Amino acid sequence: MHYPGTATQERFPAADRFAEGAQFIAGRLTKGTSGHRHAVVDPASGAEVYSYDLAGADDVDAAVAAAREAFPGWAAATPGERSDALHRFAAVLADRAEDFARAESLQCGKPLKLSREFDVPGTIDNTAFFAGAARHLTGQSAGEYSGDHTSYVRREPIGVVGSIAPWNYPLQMAAWKVLPAIAAGNTIVLKPAELTPLTSLLFAQAATDAGIPDGVLNIVTGTGRVAGEHLVGHPHVAMTSFTGSTGVGKRVAEVATATVKRLHLELGGKAPFVVFDDADLDAAVNGAVAGALINTGQDCTAATRAYVQRPLYEAFVERTAALMETVRLGDPFAAGTDLGPLISHAQRDRVAGFVDRARGYARVVTGGEAPGGDLAAGAYYRPTLIADAAQDSEIVQSEIFGPVLVVLPFDTDDEGIRLANDTPYGLAASAWSGSVYRANRATRDIKAGCVWINDHIPIISEMPHGGYKASGFGKDMSTYSFEEYTQVKHVMFDNTAVARKDWHRTIFGDR
């Protein structure tokens, strides 16, 4: 049954693709069986755009069963066969790019230009990358390492993967979970965030339309407490991959440990943005505003803590505030919009709470409020710059997940690196300098999974993404992600044809 909302055909051209429900199991859409309904809400207006029945434990069981049934055949497919299927998948995604972009902007509130130019093409590229990478799942070359034996390494799929994706980049995060898993021969059950299931469901339908066998990719759309925990703890799920907050990641790890699953966690971040006194100030200011505000700051790699060496500090604060004030908030589907709303009014209020508490110990240079007028009904919040906060303050140490940048000064290079590392997180960072020596030191000494030099945010399919410390472990994207989704097996052949080996004397007899 389809529960349509208020979105127009222009904004939601793929609406008819959800007519049968929001669970995708064994190649078809079905209704959830939890007995509870949930609404997808356009955060730009607060209007309901789609309503569906949430998944319950029975839906998770059915999806896992479908994945288990599909696993032997998919695992036995040749790398070339899996590669061909993924190439077809990329072509279907490209044909439906506009449908994906509009659905993503509608459910997330992100500007259509971001969905069109970042989320959707990035996902298509990632699919094409793994189509090629599927042919390159290799182990160590054969060799005689003991002298009497030939050894080699096999990479084998793990089995059924249970993955949980977040609401900030629903399409891209779904792809990051699904693609390396199925390219390596696994099957998967993905739980998207219940706030933003639309593009994950479109992604699964595109996979089926591209000829990927039923059951290889399944979607269960439910709450974390019900569907998520049942998926993570399921005895027939061999691996869990989770992207989300560090707090929820701890719970995922706790549940997964009970069944001794392999675990991949991509968690929170508090990315430092270190500006040395020889940096190109104009480049740093532009990079800070773009890096802090992308996706309305709802990005675990967003620039959140700018450390600026004292000679540039005041100019950086002044110019960054001025540039932030030019950023245009508005309807995500309007051509002139730079920044959309946050994902929900609850998230908007959470961000506002951080800023309001910071007024007691820091200076709000610009922003720090929700707009009124035509935008009052949406979950909007103005780009916000905060200065004069202490390093140990909440606004510096905690992940805010909104359009908020805090700026602090530093004096020596040692101090700048120390402050950059002084949070529990270590997902991403950037350093800005005209000196190759300073830049090289920053890449070595900043403890983060990605360190950009004179830029912040770009990602590419060929390079890994994952964190240090409380930002988790394991990698998305690139061939490094296959380390998460494959078992490594050592195979050893005797080359002597001798019945009684020399080492047998350690068990029976003499030399």
Side-chain angles (χ1 to χ4, degrees):
M1 184 179 294
H2 181 210
Y3 306 107
T6 59
T8 64
Q9 175 66 23
E10 180 185 7
R11 284 178 176 254
F12 195 14
D16 59 348
R17 289 185 171 271
F18 303 97
E20 302 303 321
Q23 319 303 322
F24 191 84
I25 299 171
R28 67 186 185 93
L29 286 169
T30 64
K31 290 176 61 177
T33 62
S34 71
H36 298 283
R37 292 267 295 280
H38 187 81
V40 176
V41 174
D42 175 2
S45 65
E48 180 179 309
V49 298
Y50 178 70
S51 178
Y52 64 93
D53 297 293
L54 287 162
D58 289 347
D59 302 302
V60 174
D61 290 342
V64 172
R68 288 187 76 200
E69 184 176 352
F71 174 69
W74 185 246
T78 67
E81 289 168 340
R82 291 199 294 268
S83 175
D84 288 347
L86 286 166
H87 276 300
R88 295 193 302 271
F89 189 12
V92 174
L93 294 174
D95 287 343
R96 300 175 184 175
E98 186 65 10
D99 285 354
F100 276 98
R102 289 181 177 272
E104 194 79 333
S105 288
L106 183 67
Q107 67 181 352
C108 299
K110 61 182 68 186
L112 190 56
K113 66 178 180 180
L114 180 63
S115 296
R116 281 175 172 164
E117 298 176 25
F118 185 75
D119 299 68
V120 174
T123 300
I124 296 168
D125 181 76
N126 213 230
T127 307
F129 170 81
F130 278 105
R135 291 179 176 266
H136 297 284
L137 270 166
T138 57
Q140 190 171 353
S141 300
E144 286 67 49
Y145 299 98
S146 77
D148 291 338
H149 306 82
T150 295
S151 289
Y152 67 88
V153 168
R154 290 178 56 90
R155 283 197 179 273
E156 298 178 350
I158 296 171
V160 177
V161 176
S163 291
I164 299 176
W167 48 255
N168 58 330
Y169 289 102
L171 176 59
Q172 285 198 313
M173 296 296 101
W176 288 13
K177 300 303 181 194
V178 169
L179 294 170
I182 67 174
N186 302 284
T187 56
I188 189 167
V189 178
L190 174 75
K191 192 200 87 65
E194 63 271 26
L195 294 174
T196 55
L198 301 178
T199 47
S200 296
L201 291 165
L202 288 175
F203 192 70
Q205 291 176 63
T208 294
D209 292 344
I212 292 176
D214 293 350
V216 171
L217 169 55
N218 307 275
I219 307 288
V220 289
T221 308
T223 65
R225 190 170 297 278
V226 176
E229 291 214 6
H230 193 61
L231 179 62
V232 172
H234 202 289
H236 295 145
V237 170
M239 175 191 167
T240 291
S241 179
F242 170 79
T243 294
S245 72
T246 297
V248 177
K250 291 177 181 178
R251 176 60 182 163
V252 169
E254 180 184 351
V255 174
T257 298
T259 49
V260 199
K261 287 178 170 57
R262 183 177 294 199
L263 189 60
H264 166 214
L265 299 175
E266 198 265 85
L267 306 177
K270 190 71 178 176
F273 186 101
V274 183
V275 182
F276 293 101
D277 59 14
D278 64 343
D280 180 328
L281 182 59
D282 185 55
V285 167
N286 280 275
V289 173
L293 300 185
I294 187 171
N295 204 36
T296 318
Q298 298 167 127
D299 187 312
C300 49
T301 64
T304 59
R305 299 178 289 139
Y307 296 102
V308 183
Q309 207 152 23
R310 204 168 296 274
L312 297 183
Y313 178 74
E314 293 296 340
F316 180 91
V317 170
E318 179 182 352
R319 291 175 60 176
T320 299
L323 185 56
M324 276 189 171
E325 290 167 1
T326 70
V327 172
R328 301 165 296 181
L329 278 68
D331 177 359
F333 286 79
T337 294
D338 297 320
L339 200 70
L342 291 147
I343 187 65
S344 66
H345 288 81
Q347 180 66 12
R348 192 266 317 271
D349 293 345
R350 178 180 181 274
V351 171
F354 276 103
V355 176
D356 290 344
R357 290 189 295 274
R359 296 180 197 278
Y361 57 79
R363 174 168 58 103
V364 177
V365 182
T366 190
E369 63 182 5
D374 293 341
L375 302 181
Y380 290 89
Y381 198 76
R382 294 195 185 282
T384 300
L385 184 67
I386 293 175
D388 304 335
Q391 174 67 14
D392 62 356
S393 62
E394 178 190 52
I395 204 78
V396 174
Q397 292 292 324
S398 298
E399 186 173 35
I400 299 168
F401 231 54
V404 179
L405 175 65
V406 57
V407 188
L408 298 89
F410 69 92
D411 292 303
T412 67
D413 289 15
D414 287 347
E415 182 187 14
I417 298 293
R418 178 181 62 78
L419 292 171
N421 286 328
D422 184 28
T423 71
Y425 301 105
L427 185 59
S430 65
W432 299 72
S433 173
S435 165
V436 67
Y437 302 105
R438 271 177 157 168
N440 194 47
R441 182 198 174 181
T443 64
R444 182 182 68 243
D445 291 352
I446 293 177
K447 304 307 179 187
C450 174
V451 180
W452 293 283
I453 298 298
N454 296 327
D455 207 345
H456 196 108
I457 286 296
I459 53 174
I460 51 175
S461 297
E462 291 83 359
M463 288 292 114
H465 179 84
Y468 287 26
K469 304 189 292 185
S471 291
F473 48 82
K475 300 299 180 184
D476 288 309
M477 298 202 300
S478 82
T479 55
Y480 287 95
S481 64
F482 285 140
E483 300 297 327
E484 318 304 328
Y485 294 99
T486 55
Q487 297 276 19
V488 173
K489 177 186 288 183
H490 172 212
V491 178
M492 195 175 211
F493 282 88
D494 170 59
N495 291 331
T496 67
V498 174
R500 184 159 180 164
K501 315 294 193 224
D502 185 55
W503 70 268
H504 292 177
R505 75 183 189 284
T506 62
I507 309 303
F508 53 84
D510 300 318
R511 183 183 293 275

